[in-house]
Amino acid sequence: MHGAPYTMYPLGDQALTIELGNTIEEPTNELVMRVFHQLQKNPLPFVSDIIPAYSSITVVYQTAAIRKAHPGQSAFERMKEALILRLQQTGDEDFKHRLVEIPVCYDPELGPDLAELATHAGISTNEVIQIHTATIYRVYMIGFLPGFAYLASVDPAIRMPRKLQPRPLVAAGSVGIAGEQTGIYPVNSPGGWQIIGQTPLSMLDVSQESPCLLEPGDRVRFYSISVEEFNQMKKSRSV
Amino acid sequence: MSILVIKPGLQTSIQDAGRTGFQHLGINPGGAMDLRAMQTANALVHNPTDEAVLEFYFPAPVLQFNAGAFIALSGADFKASVNGTDLPVDHPIYIPAGSVLQFNGKGKGQLGYLAIQGGLELIEWLNSYSTNIKAAAGGFEGRALCAGDELTLNNHPKSIRSSPECSVLPWKAFTAPFYTNNPFRFIHGKEFGLLSEISRQRFTSEGFTILPQSDRMGYRLQGPGLELTGAGEMISSAVTRGTIQLLPNGQCIILMADHQTTGGYPRIGHIISADLPGLAQKGIGETLHFVQTDLETAENLLVMQEQHLQQLKNACILQLDAYHRH
């Protein structure tokens, strides 16, 4: 982290945000993930959550506990000092990224916006599928819903803004596009992304100790499956 | 040893201090909206202060106790009674087997809490009993309670004297230090400076009314339209309970217990933690006023509340021990 500029600011009275940039770019997010892994590996006392986002990382801490352990000191200042030290210790070495391959059925029944997106892009639906499955995406952050990973960057040829009127119900597993982002709805939810397909995998499995299929910093590649394969995989999942 | 839900109430859920450590996966902390009421109710019955409790709006649930239990009610006063005996909030209460606990009117406040000595037999999800309705996990089957649900009571090591009579024990928790009424104090958010001069003034000089679309996720407010001087486009980053976001239509939302973990709207302020219990007890149609404070004050007030909770816990332990020896 030598020389990388950052700012720190309070996010309320029990959290602090480290801002490492203000763009959606891979090098900045890589830095975010390095700090995230460093803080996860060697947790600071009284920290209850570490939340990486596109270009920032937020540390949620227990103000009352810090003040009790260090009377007379501001919990924010104390946390800030500790984090400045940690940032200095965050190395430049690469950490391993997981590559998660996700099957998607791009059938029009499961991807109701696929045809419209193809028209918008001026290409065939097959070309949309080809382009969507050709990119290796990065999980920039997880938010909105439990296990909802924001993946980027979508090839400019198939970008499309979100719908003006969100759908009241998007089915769990639906794969959508919103501008340069793509993502998968982990649970049934209202949503405004352009839905182009559906995965038979569970993005959120509350019976597992690690309940979410994707974690911040993961790499994702989609591959196309038929309706039969989709049904088969979905059935074997529920057994 | 169970409680039968006869009527579920408007929205009754199991909550504790919340689920920490999973926000990087988009799993929000949740937990009791009024954490101090949850802690008070637990302290009164000698539970760990973060034991799971029932949180309910009005209309509140009707519950049948199939075993005698030590309970405490805190937060909103919904005029509770069992078998014709009125029950006050903030007292420990013994209720005999067969009691039907019901709530007869909406007094002050929005959210009531019921703690039961020993707690409930529940399955933890990610280290917490809080109900996460979106993930359909935690609490009781990951959902609000329904008629016919049966909640199993845990045994408590300090076995209670069983008695056919309902008795309200004669000490009351002093909860005033936990509650702020208007104005609610906030510290500046990162984007406060983007507000126009006039909008900054209006934010602290005018009132903001809580809209009906408000829930455990957030309070939507209707107030003077606020304007930004620059572009309001932001890259999404983490948000917390108490964060005041400015929506594109110029209105504000205050994020509450079930808030999303990240957001992209300008953060004009954060209600300080010490004022969140009071805010949780404000309901639809009530008007909020805001006054600015600083981080140091916010931290100090939180520390003072924590000290008060400790005193309350100590007092409850002494009283209850004396009662048991009696």
Side-chain angles (χ1 to χ4, degrees):
Chain A
M1 273 273 325
H2 306 293
Y6 60 85
T7 54
M8 288 184 180
Y9 60 86
L11 186 77
D13 51 24
Q14 307 207 67
L16 178 161
T17 297
I18 309 165
E19 202 169 77
L20 293 151
N22 53 8
T23 51
I24 301 179
E25 281 176 284
E26 200 157 335
T28 309
N29 192 251
E30 187 67 13
L31 212 54
V32 167
M33 294 307 161
R34 256 189 224 135
V35 176
F36 174 62
H37 284 274
Q38 217 268 9
L39 290 172
Q40 266 204 326
K41 224 165 44 186
N42 313 296
L44 284 168
F46 309 119
V47 166
S48 42
D49 269 292
I50 310 158
I51 316 167
Y54 284 109
S55 56
S56 68
I57 185 155
T58 296
V59 176
V60 183
Y61 53 85
Q62 298 154 7
T63 295
I66 295 175
R67 292 279 303 256
K68 198 171 176 185
H70 308 282
Q73 259 187 304
S74 145
F76 173 76
E77 292 299 334
R78 178 104 203 159
M79 194 48 65
K80 190 173 162 182
E81 280 167 28
L83 285 168
I84 288 172
L85 272 178
R86 281 308 179 81
L87 288 176
Q88 285 166 357
Q89 291 160 4
T90 302
D92 296 332
E93 75 282 353
D94 283 334
F95 57 90
K96 271 213 179 115
H97 298 284
R98 286 196 313 165
L99 176 66
V100 184
E101 305 214 68
I102 297 182
V104 178
C105 179
Y106 293 91
D107 185 83
E109 292 250 317
L110 300 171
D113 299 323
L114 179 63
E116 205 184 317
L117 190 137
T119 310
H120 177 84
I123 53 177
S124 71
T125 53
N126 273 339
E127 283 171 306
V128 172
I129 297 166
Q130 243 168 44
I131 295 171
H132 191 246
T133 51
T135 304
I136 293 182
Y137 302 97
R138 157 193 280 269
V139 178
Y140 274 85
M141 69 170 197
I142 300 183
F144 173 48
L145 291 168
F148 188 101
Y150 288 84
L151 307 171
S153 284
V154 169
D155 190 303
I158 58 165
R159 289 181 190 176
M160 187 173 176
R162 62 192 76 201
K163 305 182 88 63
L164 289 175
Q165 197 61 44
R167 279 195 175 83
L169 180 69
V170 174
S174 292
V175 177
I177 285 181
E180 66 175 300
Q181 304 171 111
T182 183
I184 309 155
Y185 286 83
V187 293
N188 291 341
S189 159
W193 291 28
Q194 307 287 349
I195 305 303
I196 59 168
Q198 199 180 117
T199 179
L201 302 185
S202 276
M203 303 310 292
L204 174 73
D205 182 349
V206 300
S207 66
Q208 298 297 312
E209 205 171 312
S210 305
C212 300
L213 186 66
L214 296 177
E215 302 216 1
D218 282 350
R219 301 291 193 268
V220 173
R221 186 161 53 204
F222 296 110
Y223 65 96
S224 177
I225 56 168
S226 67
V227 178
E228 292 71 37
E229 287 170 308
F230 176 86
N231 290 333
Q232 192 57 45
M233 289 172 92
K234 204 149 182 182
K235 211 159 78 188
S236 65
R237 193 186 98 187
S238 55
V239 171
Chain B
M1 290 273 293
S2 69
I3 303 174
L4 179 66
V5 179
I6 297 185
K7 283 187 187 169
L10 180 65
Q11 190 191 337
T12 303
S13 63
I14 307 285
Q15 300 294 343
D16 62 10
R19 186 169 282 110
T20 57
F22 297 91
Q23 288 202 67
H24 62 286
L25 298 177
I27 297 169
N28 66 27
M33 287 275 279
D34 179 348
L35 288 165
R36 297 306 184 188
M38 174 203 83
Q39 292 167 332
T40 300
N42 275 324
L44 282 164
V45 295
H46 217 318
N47 280 346
T49 46
D50 55 0
E51 181 70 59
V53 298
L54 266 65
E55 177 187 277
F56 43 90
Y57 289 84
F58 195 84
V62 177
L63 305 167
Q64 183 183 310
F65 283 70
N66 297 325
F70 247 124
I71 65 162
L73 300 162
S74 191
D77 185 353
F78 293 152
K79 317 289 177 210
S81 68
V82 292
N83 313 339
T85 307
D86 290 341
L87 305 181
V89 292
D90 299 328
H91 281 262
I93 300 162
Y94 173 75
I95 57 173
S99 294
V100 175
L101 173 64
Q102 57 185 37
F103 299 86
N104 307 299
K106 189 171 179 305
K108 212 167 149 256
Q110 295 300 314
L111 284 159
Y113 292 85
L114 165 67
I116 302 137
Q117 190 176 59
L120 299 164
E121 200 182 292
L122 297 162
I123 299 161
E124 258 189 333
W125 183 53
L126 306 179
N127 312 325
S128 166
Y129 295 113
S130 284
T131 310
N132 186 318
I133 289 180
K134 275 200 178 138
F140 187 85
E141 297 180 2
R143 59 169 171 79
L145 297 183
C146 296
D149 286 345
E150 203 166 345
L151 307 169
T152 307
L153 299 172
N154 280 329
N155 280 314
H156 192 266
K158 287 208 171 220
S159 70
I160 47 176
R161 296 178 299 176
S162 99
S163 142
E165 296 296 318
C166 170
S167 54
V168 176
L169 306 197
W171 64 93
K172 183 177 168 70
F174 177 58
T175 61
F178 295 149
Y179 295 101
T180 306
N181 207 324
N182 276 314
F184 290 91
R185 290 163 286 197
F186 74 98
I187 58 171
H188 280 175
K190 181 79 188 323
E191 284 75 42
F192 183 83
L194 294 181
L195 287 175
S196 70
E197 183 68 40
I198 283 186
S199 292
R200 271 183 246 181
Q201 281 173 19
R202 298 183 85 177
F203 187 65
T204 48
S205 62
E206 297 189 30
F208 293 80
T209 305
I210 302 175
L211 291 172
Q213 302 93 300
S214 301
D215 55 18
R216 278 183 48 93
M217 281 182 70
Y219 283 2
R220 285 181 180 268
L221 306 180
Q222 177 70 49
L226 303 180
E227 284 172 1
L228 298 175
T229 49
E233 278 285 298
M234 281 176 44
I235 295 170
S236 287
S237 62
V239 290
T240 61
R241 195 194 281 216
T243 298
I244 308 165
Q245 290 179 315
L246 182 63
L247 303 177
N249 66 1
Q251 298 296 330
C252 297
I253 181 169
I254 308 178
L255 302 181
M256 299 300 278
D258 285 344
H259 65 83
Q260 293 179 15
T261 54
T262 59
Y265 295 125
R267 300 151 295 181
I268 56 181
H270 305 273
I271 299 294
I272 66 170
S273 299
D275 285 0
L276 289 174
L279 185 62
Q281 294 297 350
K282 287 282 181 192
I284 291 161
E286 289 190 83
T287 299
L288 308 176
H289 290 274
F290 303 121
V291 62
Q292 193 211 324
T293 188
D294 56 34
L295 185 55
E296 193 188 343
T297 309
E299 284 195 8
N300 289 340
L301 290 166
L302 189 59
V303 168
M304 280 160 63
Q305 277 193 356
E306 207 58 38
Q307 287 165 349
H308 181 71
L309 176 70
Q310 191 55 51
Q311 287 168 8
L312 202 150
K313 272 159 72 175
N314 294 343
C316 288
I317 289 170
L318 287 175
Q319 296 273 24
L320 210 55
D321 282 348
Y323 175 80
H324 279 296
R325 277 198 306 271
H326 180 56

